[in-house]
Amino acid sequence: MSEDGELRYSISRCSSAGSLHNITSSANNSDDEDSDLGVGAGSSATGGSNNSLKDKRREAHTQAEQKRRDSIKKGYDALQELVPMFTSSSESTPSCKLSKATVLQKSIDYMQFLQNCKKKQEDELNELNKKSVAMTILKLNYETIVAAHHSQRPGNTTRQVSDDMKFQVFRAVMDSLYQTFEPSVITSNFTEISGSVISWLEEHCKPQILREIMCAVLQQLQEHEAGIQLQEAMEQDDLDMQHKMESESAVGAKMVNHRIAHVQSKRYATPRRPFEKARLDQELRLVGEFGLRNKRELWIVKMLLAKIRKAARELLTLDEKDSRRLFQGNALLRRLVRMGVLEENRMKLDYVLGLKPEDFLERRLQTQVFKLGLAKSIHHSRVLIRQGHIRVRKQLVNVPSFIVRLDSRKHINFSLRSPYGGGRPGRVKRMNARKKADGGGGGGDDDDEGGD
C-alpha cells in the first residue's frame, strides 16, 4: 500500500515539473522496473494534457471564426435592407442571391447618389436664401416708401371705414391685379413660379401702378355710393311727400274749432314707485349738486339715457358684421364722444350700457359755466344763463339744460352785450346813475332858488 502511494507521488512530481524522471537521480527507487514504470506513466500524462489544450484552442478558434462570419453576414444583410436597390431586386427575384462584391458596389453607388442629392438640396437652399434676402430688401423698400408717403400728409384725419367697404376695396384691387397675374405667372414647377412671380411683382406691382389702381377703385366705389345715396334720397323724398299728403288730408278731419291736435313725444317718465327711499335720496342729491329746478329735469335726462341704452342693447343683439350695427353703432358712439359723455378710448357699445345720469348732467351748460369759474355757485350759474349773460361761440344761450359739446366748451364766455362782457350797464345801474345825476342837478337849482 505504501509502494503504490510512492509511485503516485513520483508521477505527479514528474508531470508538474514538465520533464521526465531520471533513474539515477532518484535515490528512493532502487529497482529498474519501478523506474521504467515511472517514466512511462509521466510521458502518457504529459501527452494527454497537451492534446486537451489543443482541442480547447481549436474549439475557441472555431467559435471566434464563426462569430466573425456571423457578424459579417449580419452586416451585409443590414446593408441590403438599407439600400433601396436591394429591396426592389429582392421583391422582383426573391430566389436570387447577390454576391458580396455586388452588395458593396451597389452600396457605393447609393452613397454617391445620396451625396449628389445632398449637394442639390444645398444648392436649392442657397437659392431660396438668396430669394428670401431679396424679398426682405423689397419689403424694407416698400415700407420706406409707405412711411414717406404718410409723412407727406400729416394733416389728414382718419375716418372709420366699415368692414364691408374695406372688403369691397380689397376685392376690386385683387380683381384688377389678377388680370395681369394670370397670363404672367407660369405654374408648371416651383422654380418657374418663383421667377415669374418676382418678375410680375417688379413689373405690375410698382407703387405708381398700385396707386393708380387704388384711385380708380375708390373713384368707382364713390360713384356707386353716390348713386345709392341719390336713389335713397329720391325714395325718402317720395316718402316725405306721401306723408305730407296724408297729414294734409288728415288735418281737415282732426281740425276742431280751427285748432290742430299736436302730437308730442314723451320727454320724461315718472317713477313707478314714488316713495322709494333710496331713489328719493339719490334724486335729491343730484338736484342739489347740479342746481336743477325740479326733479322733472332729472327725469328728462334719465329718459334720454334710457333711449340711448335701449338703442345700444338692440344693436348688441345683431351680428358684429351686420351693416345696421356698423352704421348705427358708429353713429351713436361718435355722437356720444362729440357730446363728451363717452371717452374716445371707450368707443364700444358695451361701455354705453355703463353710462349714468351724472355723465349727462356734467355736460349741461349750467354745470360747465360753474366749472369754468364764470359763476360763484351752481345756482348763480343758472341765473346768469336765464338772464342772457352767457354765450356759446357767437350764439346767446339762455337754456340751462343746453348740452355743451366737447369742442364748444372752450368757447363758453359772457355775452358781448352783457355788463360782465364789457357791454352796456344794466337797468338798475343806469337808473341809479340817472338818479345820481338828476339829484345833483336838482340840488343846485334849489340853492339858486333859495338864494333868490
Side-chain angles (χ1 to χ4, degrees):
M1 188 68 181
S2 61
E3 293 179 357
D4 294 338
E6 292 177 357
L7 178 63
R8 191 177 296 110
Y9 177 74
S10 64
I11 291 173
S12 64
R13 286 187 61 189
C14 291
S15 63
S16 62
S19 61
L20 295 177
H21 184 73
N22 195 356
I23 301 174
T24 59
S25 62
S26 177
N28 297 325
N29 296 326
S30 59
D31 296 335
D32 295 337
E33 293 179 359
D34 294 337
S35 63
D36 293 338
L37 181 61
V39 171
S43 61
S44 63
T46 304
S49 63
N50 292 333
N51 292 333
S52 63
L53 183 61
K54 289 181 180 180
D55 293 338
K56 289 181 180 180
R57 288 180 179 178
R58 187 181 298 109
E59 184 179 358
H61 177 72
T62 304
Q63 291 178 358
E65 183 67 20
Q66 186 67 32
K67 186 176 181 181
R68 185 180 67 84
R69 292 182 180 182
D70 291 340
S71 63
I72 293 173
K73 184 179 179 181
K74 289 181 181 178
Y76 276 102
D77 294 339
L79 190 61
Q80 291 182 11
E81 292 178 357
L82 291 176
V83 179
M85 293 182 290
F86 297 130
T87 306
S88 59
S89 61
S90 63
E91 290 178 356
S92 60
T93 57
S95 62
C96 181
K97 185 176 181 181
L98 299 175
S99 63
K100 296 180 180 180
T102 306
V103 172
L104 293 176
Q105 184 63 38
K106 289 189 176 183
S107 300
I108 293 171
D109 296 339
Y110 183 64
M111 290 174 64
Q112 292 178 354
F113 171 73
L114 291 179
Q115 288 179 355
N116 294 332
C117 292
K118 180 181 178 182
K119 185 177 180 181
K120 186 177 179 180
Q121 289 179 356
E122 288 178 353
D123 295 339
E124 292 179 355
L125 181 61
N126 293 332
E127 188 69 22
L128 290 176
N129 289 333
K130 292 179 181 179
K131 291 180 181 180
S132 176
V133 172
M135 295 299 293
T136 305
I137 294 172
L138 288 175
K139 178 185 175 184
L140 294 176
N141 292 334
Y142 287 138
E143 288 179 353
T144 306
I145 293 172
V146 171
H149 180 69
H150 285 300
S151 63
Q152 292 176 359
R153 299 180 179 180
N156 290 344
T157 57
T158 58
R159 295 183 301 173
Q160 293 184 354
V161 183
S162 62
D163 294 339
D164 190 13
M165 182 64 68
K166 293 179 183 178
F167 177 73
Q168 291 180 5
V169 173
F170 177 76
R171 182 176 61 184
V173 173
M174 289 297 106
D175 290 340
S176 60
L177 290 177
Y178 185 73
Q179 295 177 0
T180 59
F181 179 83
E182 186 176 6
S184 301
V185 178
I186 303 173
T187 59
S188 59
N189 54 46
F190 182 76
T191 306
E192 294 181 353
I193 288 176
S194 302
S196 57
V197 165
I198 293 175
S199 61
W200 174 76
L201 288 172
E202 292 294 335
E203 183 178 357
H204 298 282
C205 294
K206 296 179 180 179
Q208 184 64 27
I209 297 176
L210 293 177
R211 189 181 295 110
E212 293 176 358
I213 293 174
M214 183 61 69
C215 292
V217 170
L218 292 177
Q219 185 177 2
Q220 183 180 0
L221 290 175
Q222 186 177 4
E223 292 175 356
H224 180 67
E225 291 292 331
I228 294 177
Q229 291 179 1
L230 180 61
Q231 184 178 0
E232 291 179 353
M234 294 175 64
E235 293 177 355
Q236 186 66 29
D237 292 340
D238 295 339
L239 291 174
D240 293 343
M241 184 62 68
Q242 184 178 358
H243 290 319
K244 184 177 180 181
M245 293 175 63
E246 292 177 356
S247 61
E248 288 179 355
S249 61
V251 164
K254 290 185 178 181
M255 185 176 293
V256 180
N257 296 330
H258 303 283
R259 293 182 181 179
I260 301 175
H262 296 283
V263 179
Q264 297 179 353
S265 61
K266 194 172 183 180
R267 296 187 61 198
Y268 67 93
T270 57
R272 295 181 179 179
R273 299 178 180 178
F275 303 108
E276 188 177 2
K277 185 178 184 303
R279 182 189 54 78
L280 290 174
D281 295 339
Q282 181 192 14
E283 290 178 351
L284 188 61
R285 180 182 61 82
L286 293 177
V287 168
E289 181 180 354
F290 294 98
L292 305 180
R293 180 185 177 187
N294 47 36
K295 292 185 179 180
R296 183 168 60 247
E297 292 187 347
L298 179 59
W299 295 340
I300 291 173
V301 173
K302 287 185 176 182
M303 174 64 75
L304 174 63
L305 177 59
K307 290 181 179 179
I308 292 174
R309 295 181 62 182
K310 181 181 178 181
R313 283 195 300 270
E314 291 179 356
L315 294 175
L316 283 173
T317 57
L318 303 176
D319 188 60
E320 293 183 358
K321 305 297 182 181
D322 191 85
S323 58
R324 180 189 169 194
R325 175 172 177 176
L326 294 173
F327 182 76
Q328 297 184 2
N330 291 334
L332 177 62
L333 293 174
R334 286 197 302 269
R335 179 187 174 190
L336 294 176
V337 170
R338 195 163 54 247
M339 290 170 58
V341 178
L342 195 66
E343 298 178 0
E344 292 185 359
N345 56 357
R346 304 178 64 185
M347 290 186 63
K348 292 184 180 180
L349 294 175
D350 298 331
Y351 292 110
V352 177
L353 301 179
L355 294 177
K356 299 179 180 179
E358 292 88 335
D359 299 329
F360 288 87
L361 294 174
E362 287 285 346
R363 304 308 306 173
R364 297 174 83 246
L365 181 60
Q366 180 180 354
T367 309
Q368 294 298 320
V369 169
F370 172 64
K371 289 193 172 183
L372 288 174
L374 301 178
K376 299 177 182 179
S377 65
I378 192 71
H379 303 286
H380 184 213
S381 173
R382 186 181 186 92
V383 173
L384 291 177
I385 295 170
R386 291 298 299 168
Q387 292 182 357
H389 295 288
I390 302 299
R391 65 180 173 91
V392 180
R393 297 182 186 271
K394 296 182 180 181
Q395 181 68 36
L396 180 67
V397 182
N398 59 354
V399 180
S401 61
F402 177 79
I403 300 297
V404 181
R405 291 184 178 180
L406 201 61
D407 55 347
S408 300
R409 185 176 186 273
K410 57 185 178 181
H411 299 287
I412 299 175
N413 206 342
F414 288 112
S415 175
L416 298 178
R417 294 186 178 182
S418 172
Y420 302 105
R424 180 185 177 188
R427 179 180 60 85
V428 176
K429 191 171 184 180
R430 294 198 310 270
M431 185 175 63
N432 291 335
R434 192 182 305 114
K435 285 182 179 180
K436 186 176 180 180
D438 293 342
D445 295 339
D446 294 340
D447 294 337
D448 294 338
E449 292 177 358
D452 292 341

